Amino acid sequence: MKRSFLLLLLAASFLIGCSDKETPVIENPGIEEVAPDGTHLSDGFIQVYLLPSAMNVRLEGEAVHGKEYLLEISFDGERISNREVQTKARHEAIAARYGDREFNDRIVPFSTVALGSDCLSIEVTCDSPIDEAHPAGAPLGDLLTLYGVSFDEYIACGYDDSKMPSYPESFDGLLLYNGLGGTPLIKPLDEVTAADLLLVEPTLYLKLPFPLPVGSHTFTVTARFADTTFEASAKLTID
């Protein structure tokens, strides 16, 4: 009897001890954990789609080639990740729309970010004349060069890295993606099409013409999407 009582007492103590332990919290259930090398197995190449709700423009002075100036265009908004339970289904729907469902390889989470809605066009004007052919308010597309990175070509070619172009030296110093699967976009702005802007990174650069006239210049960038238009400005003073 005494032995049975002791066994019951030990069992009760064990159960009480177990109930005092914290239940482990599992983040993102159903999503594969990141491996020791920092990667996870992903159906698609794009890890995060950004749905823009705002656009910022700022002047980047002397970023490349000495005295040339750049306008940095950056979009902000909701980030749809394939690593968050609450956004995973929406991420899969966007990925399906762009045909990005067959990557099936390991990749660093959150490492590739692209616009999840299509930018149709970008236009730039200035509140002061640049030259005789470009009075105040005239489009400056033939004077500006767009720098960016698109992931559309990599997805369209079946994730074949051997078909991808290399990154030019003119990308040095720019905060743009320069890894696997990115296509460098360098074009005069007036030649840029909606197809060029498919699956671009949310940050782009515009190289301004040089030399610019002495004085104050406010450059206004207009980016058009199917359902909205963004406009933002940056001021540059040339002494």
Side-chain angles (χ1 to χ4, degrees), residues 1-15:
M1 178 68 71
K2 184 178 294 186
R3 179 181 176 85
S4 299
F5 176 76
L6 288 174
L7 289 174
L8 288 172
L9 183 61
L10 287 172
S13 299
F14 176 77
L15 291 173

Side-chain angles (χ1 to χ4, degrees), residues 13-239:
S13 299
F14 176 77
L15 291 173
I16 292 172
C18 289
S19 65
D20 289 339
K21 293 180 180 179
E22 293 184 2
T23 301
V25 177
I26 301 175
E27 295 184 0
N28 297 348
I31 294 180
E32 182 208 9
E33 291 302 313
V34 175
D37 66 354
T39 64
H40 76 114
L41 186 63
S42 179
D43 292 335
F45 180 69
I46 304 300
Q47 302 294 285
V48 178
Y49 291 101
L50 187 137
L51 303 182
S53 58
M55 180 182 74
N56 303 302
V57 174
R58 72 181 185 93
L59 185 70
E60 183 80 20
E62 301 185 356
V64 293
H65 303 312
K67 293 184 178 180
E68 292 179 345
Y69 292 88
L70 295 173
L71 286 176
E72 181 190 81
I73 304 169
S74 59
F75 294 95
D76 197 8
E78 185 181 8
R79 296 168 68 88
I80 309 299
S81 166
N82 65 352
R83 295 292 300 166
E84 304 294 337
V85 171
Q86 61 270 30
T87 61
K88 192 172 189 299
R90 294 173 64 195
H91 181 281
E92 291 176 351
I94 297 173
R97 178 156 53 90
Y98 290 110
D100 184 22
R101 296 290 295 146
E102 303 297 331
F103 181 62
N104 298 326
D105 204 348
R106 303 198 71 85
I107 191 171
V108 176
F110 314 108
S111 59
T112 48
V113 184
L115 291 181
S117 55
D118 300 341
C119 182
L120 304 179
S121 66
I122 297 174
E123 182 181 280
V124 180
T125 59
C126 185
D127 67 343
S128 59
I130 301 299
D131 54 31
E132 290 184 359
H134 301 86
L140 303 178
D142 59 325
L143 298 180
L144 305 175
T145 302
L146 182 72
Y147 287 75
V149 173
S150 169
F151 301 109
D152 181 62
E153 183 177 346
Y154 182 60
I155 294 168
C157 75
Y159 313 104
D160 187 349
D161 194 46
S162 68
K163 297 181 179 180
M164 302 306 294
S166 59
Y167 292 88
E169 290 184 2
S170 56
F171 266 52
D172 294 348
L174 301 180
L175 299 178
L176 293 171
Y177 179 90
N178 62 355
L180 168 74
T183 299
L185 171 61
I186 306 176
K187 265 191 173 183
L189 183 59
D190 63 351
E191 296 180 12
V192 173
T193 66
D196 293 320
L197 297 172
L198 276 175
L199 289 180
V200 291
E201 266 199 301
T203 297
L204 301 157
Y205 290 94
L206 285 167
K207 186 174 72 174
L208 299 177
F210 184 83
L212 287 168
V214 172
S216 177
H217 309 285
T218 298
F219 294 93
T220 299
V221 178
T222 303
R224 293 183 173 83
F225 291 73
D227 56 352
T228 189
T229 297
F230 300 104
E231 186 174 285
S233 301
K235 186 176 181 180
L236 169 63
T237 300
I238 304 294
D239 297 324

